[in-house]
Amino acid sequence: MNLLLFQTNIKSKKKVKSIKPILNKHSDILKWSVDLEDIDHVLRIEATTNITETDVIDMVKTHGFHIKILAD
């Protein structure tokens, strides 16, 4: 299992709802959440090893959101 962390501009429940279908339908994403309280609006994804950070970035960017890998 991989833990993927991203900084995003997903700042509201409405925006979380808009990406829910794409993240839920991806078979390699096991669990995901967006921390709306965090300054970086962290998207946290638990996934299989079959999905890469680039895959997630591409999916989220296609829906008009800013996303980048969260540095440790």
Side-chain angles (χ1 to χ4, degrees), residues 12-53:
S12 69
K13 288 182 182 181
K14 185 178 180 181
K15 289 182 178 183
V16 170
K17 218 174 181 179
S18 73
I19 63 159
K20 187 176 183 177
I22 61 162
L23 296 177
N24 282 350
K25 84 172 184 184
H26 200 291
S27 60
D28 292 313
I29 295 176
L30 307 174
K31 279 176 67 174
W32 66 273
S33 64
V34 178
D35 186 347
L36 298 175
E37 302 296 319
D38 189 280
I39 193 166
D40 290 325
H41 309 287
V42 176
L43 170 61
R44 181 183 191 270
I45 294 179
E46 293 177 30
T48 68
T49 53
N50 297 332
I51 190 169
T52 66
E53 291 167 328

Side-chain angles (χ1 to χ4, degrees), residues 2 4 6 47-59:
N2 280 346
L4 309 173
F6 303 92
T48 68
T49 53
N50 297 332
I51 190 169
T52 66
E53 291 167 328
T54 306
D55 294 334
V56 174
I57 289 171
D58 290 344
M59 275 192 300

